[in-house]
Amino acid sequence: RKNTKRVPSFRKLLRTSKIKLDNKLKNKQYKQQSAAKKYRKEQKKLREAVRDAISRKPFPLDECKKKQVAEKQEEEEEEDALPLDMMDEDDLKLLEDLAQKASFLTRDLSSNEPVHIKKRKHESVIDKYEKVPRRMQTEPEKELIHLLPIKDKGGIIPQTMEKPVLNVAQDEEEDSEEMEEAEDFNEEPLPVLTPEEMAAQRRQKLQERKMHIAALASAILSEPDNNIKKLKELRAMLMEQDPNVAVIVRKLVMVSLMEIFKDIAPSYKIRPLTEAEKATKVKKETQKLREFEEGLVSQYKFYLENLEQTIKDWKQRKLKKSNVISLKAYKGLAEIAVKCLCELLVALPHFNFHNNIIVLIVPLMNDASKMISELCFEAVKKLFKQDKLGYASLGVVKVISGLVRGRNYNVRPEVLKVFLHLRIKEVELQKDSEDIAPKKKFMTYKEKRKNLSRMQRKWKKAEEKLERELLEAEASESKEKKLKLAKTLNIVFVTYFRILKKAQKSPLLPAVLEGLAKFAHLINVEFFDDLLIVLHSLIASGGLSYRESLHCILSAFHILSGQGDVLNIDPMKFYTHLYKTLFSLHAGGTNDDIGIVLQCLDVMFAKRRKQVSQQRALAFLKRLSTLALHVLPNSSVGILATNRVLMQTFPKMDLLLDNESQGSGVYLPELDEPEHCNAQNTALWELHLLRRHYHPTVQKFAAHLIVGAPTEGSGALSLDLSQRPATELFEAYSMRGMTFNPPVASVTPRRKDTFSQMDSFIDEELNKQLQQHISETVVHKHLDFAKHLKESSLL
């Protein structure tokens, strides 16, 4: 049949889309493949049919003539075995003719002789056997190799050859000789490099790796959607195998990947797609975004696993089989891995696998390495300070609570001190302000009809609808935030109470007491009575240091100054203990405990002035003035500021500025009971000593207190000193950085008179003698300091 299809013109090809042309090409290739496959199947079936016919046992010709019934059955079986519908008529006729000849059936098709060789009539089977050479049975049979036959005038002559038997010992010798030659060849001396050449080669390799890292990173940052596969190539460099540059390259890749993930990570959490979402058809842009997100999450996961494995190898002191990196270098790699994890913990609290990072970082806060523990501590502290929603804080608090309980309270105190940086106090104040703030009122229908036009009423209605929706969203968000806050508080207080109950002698107790002092106003009123009993029993036991006892006192008064006002509890025992502890404070450079004392005094006197007696206030004023003589300037300023508050808060404090005694009795400074030490019969003579203090601010405060701490007039303090609390003044005048506040004025040294080399009072002759004496070489002689003693002993 004539092919009517025409070759498409160039104009038609231009109109045809590329996708259609590709589909045509694919269909054509598929048809060719299927036709070739069909042909191979037919050939395979034909070979199977021929093999089946060969395997059958042939019958003699005379029996075939006698038994025609059996022959018919045989033909039927052959017809069933052969795929006759797939063969041509000529092939079938040829097979039928061959089947009538016994030679076709009896011939060995597996022999190496050619198939179409003419059978010679004069040769018989017996002659063939006679031609074969005789062999003894004792001789081992030799294997023959059939070669290509030779054709001459007489016919085809088959060619064979005995397979040579190799001597095993000779082969082993030859192999050993070859191995020795190879070893000699391998043992050729490599070029020996000098240290300078090795350093130059290492610098070159390192520069190449740096350029490669920079190229990959810049490509990813420029187009993250298209180059997400290059993240895998960059991450593969974490397995650098060159021992000369492996450590530095791995560190650079870790930091580079960390910065890349911080830049390209979206501001939301990527969730896995459901089966229904995968099955639906989407736009190209959506599909591209899905592929980018999937690749980003998988590479981020592998990167975190690599960092985790690096830290585990360092912790377990496990050396890899490749021995590319030594055990000493693993510590540096682990530190970089921890830094990267800390950065990701703070920078990506909303992204995937954040809880996994928390589980890795929190146990490292209790690590023996000070550097790693401080890194983790600072990272968690930053996370707490910037966490406004509370999700990340809740996760960290859960892990810390489990760690403390799992280690049987045998952890470093810094692990619990992290709780002090939670934003619980700020959120609580914000909640109170929200409750107090007046709610927004919307206009009624009558007010709208009276004051607004029709178009304005329409706009106002839409605006109020939008505002209501926003208020509902804010209310749901604040409710969720409060639930997170309640869970976090619950876990923190459960951890604190568990330690107070089961591990009172643990080193974690100071951190617990400090935390209770900060969050005591958030504890439920039902626990106040029991908590105060526990705190007093801890103080009375005498096993606490003075710093821990100060935290106990501060916690107790925080409880009593908040919701504890309704409780009928006399805190006199806590006043007595603080009065007794004041002279035990450290007066040296580590005077941080003074800050806790100032907080206690503020809560005990300023906020509870109606419950404090005059005798108690006088006793504390006298003892604090005595303490101000022995501490550093910043502590003295804080104590004198507290004394100023006492003198202005309580009446009749100016009794201590008069020499005349009031009432009977003598002041007993060594008595530890503030109510019975007769403080009204003494005077504040310490102020006159403090007036001559070397610190100018202490001098100002002392002079101010001597005249009765007036609020105005010539004896009043300046605003920068009078309006600042005692704790703030204590921090402002601190000398931690070896700085003096106010700074000491620099004194310029007097300029000494200098003379020129040729002075006027030295004449030329004296000058020559001096130069000659200077130019002479000095001979050092042995000095005997006991010479005169020896001479005197001889005399």
Side-chain angles (χ1 to χ4, degrees):
R1 193 178 63 177
K2 186 178 180 182
N3 190 6
T4 57
K5 287 187 178 181
R6 295 180 180 178
V7 178
S9 63
F10 181 71
R11 190 178 298 278
K12 189 174 181 181
L13 283 173
L14 283 177
R15 287 199 299 267
T16 310
S17 65
K18 185 181 178 183
I19 298 172
K20 193 171 182 181
L21 292 174
D22 291 343
N23 291 338
K24 284 184 177 181
L25 182 63
K26 286 180 183 177
N27 291 335
K28 186 177 180 181
Q29 291 175 353
Y30 178 74
K31 286 179 181 178
Q32 290 176 355
Q33 289 175 1
S34 59
K37 193 173 181 182
K38 188 175 180 181
Y39 177 74
R40 286 196 298 271
K41 283 185 179 180
E42 291 176 357
Q43 293 295 322
K44 185 178 179 182
K45 286 183 179 180
L46 186 60
R47 286 195 298 272
E48 288 178 355
V50 173
R51 198 179 299 117
D52 189 22
I54 292 169
S55 62
R56 294 178 183 278
K57 185 178 178 182
F59 291 95
L61 292 176
D62 55 346
E63 286 189 12
C64 289
K65 291 177 182 179
K66 292 178 182 178
K67 298 178 181 179
Q68 294 179 0
V69 179
E71 189 178 355
K72 287 179 182 180
Q73 291 178 358
E74 216 174 82
E75 287 176 1
E76 289 176 2
E77 288 176 1
E78 287 178 2
E79 287 175 1
D80 293 338
L82 287 171
L84 301 177
D85 56 342
M86 294 165 53
M87 299 176 68
D88 296 337
E89 293 179 359
D90 297 338
D91 296 333
L92 282 172
K93 190 174 181 180
L94 179 64
L95 286 173
E96 287 174 0
D97 294 341
L98 290 173
Q100 300 299 325
K101 299 178 182 180
S103 62
F104 175 75
L105 298 176
T106 56
R107 184 174 171 277
D108 187 9
L109 293 176
S110 61
S111 68
N112 292 318
E113 293 180 1
V115 178
H116 301 289
I117 188 171
K118 292 182 179 180
K119 185 173 175 68
R120 283 171 286 186
K121 296 179 180 180
H122 61 274
E123 284 188 357
S124 62
V125 179
I126 300 171
D127 295 337
K128 286 184 179 179
Y129 279 115
E130 290 293 331
K131 289 179 181 179
V132 175
R134 268 58 171 174
R135 296 176 186 171
M136 297 293 291
Q137 291 184 355
T138 55
E139 294 181 3
E141 294 184 1
K142 294 183 179 181
E143 189 175 353
L144 295 177
I145 299 173
H146 295 279
L147 304 176
L148 291 173
I150 299 172
K151 186 175 182 181
D152 58 358
K153 294 180 180 180
I156 294 174
I157 303 170
Q159 297 290 321
T160 58
M161 174 183 158
E162 293 182 1
K163 189 174 182 180
V165 180
L166 298 174
N167 192 359
V168 179
Q170 187 178 357
D171 291 345
E172 290 179 355
E173 289 178 1
E174 291 178 357
D175 292 341
S176 62
E177 289 177 0
E178 290 177 359
M179 289 292 290
E180 287 176 0
E181 291 177 359
E183 287 176 0
D184 294 340
F185 180 75
N186 292 332
E187 286 177 359
E188 288 184 0
L190 295 172
V192 180
L193 298 176
T194 61
E196 291 81 6
E197 292 175 347
M198 291 175 67
Q201 187 178 7
R202 181 177 178 274
R203 282 195 297 271
Q204 184 182 359
K205 287 182 181 178
L206 195 57
Q207 188 64 25
E208 291 175 359
R209 302 293 196 282
K210 285 181 180 179
M211 293 299 293
H212 189 47
I213 292 169
L216 290 173
S218 60
I220 295 166
L221 291 175
S222 60
E223 294 182 2
D225 300 343
N226 300 328
N227 297 325
I228 193 66
K229 291 183 179 179
K230 292 190 177 180
L231 265 177
K232 185 178 181 181
E233 185 179 351
L234 184 58
R235 189 178 57 80
M237 295 183 72
L238 283 171
M239 299 293 116
E240 177 65 42
Q241 298 298 321
D242 192 347
N244 293 327
V245 294
V247 178
I248 298 177
V249 169
R250 292 188 185 189
K251 288 181 181 180
L252 292 173
V253 174
M254 282 181 189
V255 177
S256 303
L257 282 170
M258 180 260 295
E259 293 294 338
I260 288 170
F261 283 121
K262 281 169 64 177
D263 287 342
I264 69 174
S267 59
Y268 54 87
K269 188 174 182 179
I270 300 172
R271 62 173 181 83
L273 297 174
T274 60
E275 294 296 330
E277 289 173 341
K278 291 179 180 177
T280 55
K281 291 183 178 180
V282 293
K283 295 180 180 178
K284 289 183 180 179
E285 293 80 6
T286 309
Q287 185 64 29
K288 189 177 181 181
L289 179 62
R290 285 182 178 180
E291 291 175 358
F292 166 71
E293 290 177 346
E294 186 179 355
L296 177 64
V297 170
S298 63
Q299 293 302 321
Y300 187 58
K301 178 186 175 184
F302 293 141
Y303 172 62
L304 293 178
E305 287 176 352
N306 287 335
L307 295 181
E308 181 186 8
Q309 191 61 43
T310 304
I311 297 170
K312 281 184 178 178
D313 291 342
W314 170 66
K315 295 287 285 182
Q316 298 172 1
R317 303 292 188 270
K318 185 191 286 186
L319 193 64
K320 297 289 186 182
K321 293 181 180 179
S322 58
N323 292 329
V324 175
I325 299 175
S326 62
L327 285 174
K328 290 182 180 179
Y330 259 112
K331 185 178 180 183
L333 278 175
E335 289 176 357
I336 297 296
V338 171
K339 283 182 182 178
C340 294
L341 286 172
C342 292
E343 287 286 334
L344 294 173
L345 178 75
V346 177
L348 302 176
H350 57 276
F351 199 55
N352 300 50
F353 309 112
H354 190 256
N355 289 332
N356 302 71
I357 299 176
I358 291 172
V359 172
L360 279 175
I361 290 294
V362 170
L364 293 174
M365 292 168 62
N366 193 41
D367 195 77
S369 175
K370 188 176 180 181
M371 181 180 176
I372 288 178
S373 62
E374 285 181 355
L375 279 173
C376 300
F377 178 75
E378 291 296 327
V380 175
K381 190 168 34 171
K382 285 181 186 176
L383 182 65
F384 281 163
K385 286 182 178 179
Q386 73 178 24
D387 185 27
K388 296 180 180 179
L389 299 177
Y391 293 99
S393 301
L394 179 60
V396 174
V397 168
K398 282 182 179 178
V399 178
I400 290 176
S401 178
L403 177 70
V404 172
R405 191 173 182 182
R407 299 281 178 90
N408 198 16
Y409 314 107
N410 187 20
V411 296
R412 299 175 67 177
E414 288 80 5
V415 177
L416 276 186
K417 285 184 180 178
V418 179
F419 288 162
L420 300 175
H421 301 280
L422 285 166
R423 296 185 62 174
I424 296 175
K425 208 166 188 176
E426 298 173 13
V427 175
E428 190 68 20
L429 292 173
Q430 185 180 358
K431 184 194 75 172
D432 295 340
S433 63
E434 287 173 0
D435 295 339
I436 296 169
K439 295 183 179 179
K440 185 174 179 62
K441 292 183 179 180
F442 296 101
M443 294 179 70
T444 60
Y445 180 73
K446 290 183 179 180
E447 291 173 348
K448 290 178 185 177
R449 287 291 299 267
K450 186 177 180 180
N451 301 322
L452 303 176
S453 65
R454 185 177 179 183
M455 185 59 67
Q456 288 175 340
R457 286 200 301 271
K458 191 174 181 181
W459 280 102
K460 192 70 176 176
K461 185 178 179 181
E463 185 181 346
E464 288 180 355
K465 184 180 179 182
L466 180 61
E467 286 181 356
R468 283 194 182 95
E469 291 177 355
L470 290 173
L471 286 173
E472 288 176 2
E474 288 177 3
S476 62
E477 184 180 350
S478 62
K479 186 178 180 181
E480 190 176 359
K481 189 189 293 183
K482 288 175 185 176
L483 287 174
K484 295 290 179 186
L485 173 66
K487 288 181 182 179
T488 306
L489 269 176
N490 188 20
I491 296 170
V492 169
F493 285 132
V494 164
T495 307
Y496 283 164
F497 294 157
R498 193 181 288 140
I499 293 171
L500 282 176
K501 183 179 179 181
K502 297 182 179 180
Q504 292 186 356
K505 295 183 179 180
S506 171
L508 300 176
L509 190 61
V512 171
L513 296 173
E514 197 173 348
L516 286 174
K518 183 172 182 180
F519 304 125
H521 62 287
L522 302 173
I523 303 174
N524 198 343
V525 183
E526 298 174 358
F527 300 107
F528 281 1
D529 199 7
D530 296 334
L531 191 56
L532 286 173
I533 292 171
V534 171
L535 292 175
H536 181 257
S537 63
L538 285 172
I539 293 172
S541 64
L544 301 180
S545 64
Y546 72 89
R547 183 181 177 87
E548 295 169 1
S549 62
L550 289 175
H551 283 306
C552 281
I553 296 166
L554 187 59
S555 303
F557 280 100
H558 271 302
I559 291 169
L560 294 173
S561 63
Q563 301 175 10
D565 288 336
V566 298
L567 300 176
N568 188 15
I569 298 173
D570 183 18
M572 181 60 198
K573 46 198 173 185
F574 294 107
Y575 280 99
T576 304
H577 188 75
L578 180 62
Y579 186 77
K580 183 171 58 177
T581 310
L582 286 177
F583 283 160
S584 303
L585 295 177
H586 199 290
T590 56
N591 61 344
D592 297 336
D593 304 328
I594 300 290
I596 306 171
V597 172
L598 297 177
Q599 293 178 34
C600 292
L601 292 170
D602 181 51
V603 179
M604 293 164 71
F605 290 97
K607 296 180 180 179
R608 293 177 58 86
R609 53 183 174 270
K610 293 181 180 179
Q611 289 89 359
V612 179
S613 63
Q614 183 182 349
Q615 291 291 332
R616 197 181 302 172
L618 288 170
F620 270 94
L621 183 61
K622 175 62 179 175
R623 183 157 284 198
L624 287 171
S625 300
T626 307
L627 181 64
L629 294 172
H630 306 284
V631 291
L632 291 177
N634 61 328
S635 302
S636 298
V637 171
I639 290 170
L640 292 176
T642 305
N643 286 351
R644 176 177 175 272
V645 173
L646 289 175
M647 293 180 73
Q648 292 177 350
T649 304
F650 294 94
K652 300 181 181 179
M653 286 292 108
D654 54 353
L655 293 174
L656 299 180
L657 300 176
D658 193 358
N659 288 334
E660 295 179 3
S661 61
Q662 300 289 329
S664 60
V666 180
Y667 174 60
L668 302 173
E670 72 280 358
L671 190 66
D672 292 334
E673 293 292 337
E675 296 284 348
H676 308 291
C677 65
N678 300 324
Q680 74 278 3
N681 294 325
T682 185
L684 295 177
W685 52 265
E686 295 89 355
L687 295 177
H688 291 280
L689 294 176
L690 292 170
R691 197 174 183 179
R692 295 191 292 272
H693 199 275
Y694 66 88
H695 200 283
T697 310
V698 178
Q699 295 175 13
K700 291 178 184 178
F701 267 101
H704 172 68
L705 293 177
I706 284 174
V707 295
T711 55
E712 56 186 12
S714 60
L717 285 174
S718 58
L719 290 176
D720 61 332
L721 295 176
S722 61
Q723 293 183 354
R724 298 167 77 181
T727 52
E728 187 178 342
L729 289 169
F730 170 74
E731 293 294 334
Y733 290 96
S734 176
M735 300 173 67
R736 287 176 187 166
M738 300 301 291
T739 56
F740 193 80
N741 189 10
V744 181
S746 59
V747 180
T748 55
R750 290 183 179 180
R751 189 175 177 184
K752 295 181 180 180
D753 296 330
T754 56
F755 299 97
S756 61
Q757 188 175 4
M758 299 297 292
D759 292 313
S760 59
F761 61 86
I762 301 178
D763 57 357
E764 294 181 3
E765 191 175 346
L766 183 59
N767 192 16
K768 287 180 182 179
Q769 291 179 5
L770 285 173
Q771 293 294 334
Q772 185 179 358
H773 182 71
I774 291 170
S775 61
E776 289 179 358
T777 57
V778 181
V779 179
H780 295 283
K781 297 181 180 179
H782 179 68
L783 299 176
D784 190 2
F785 294 99
K787 184 177 180 182
H788 65 287
L789 295 176
K790 295 176 183 177
E791 292 175 353
S792 61
S793 62
L794 291 173
L795 294 173

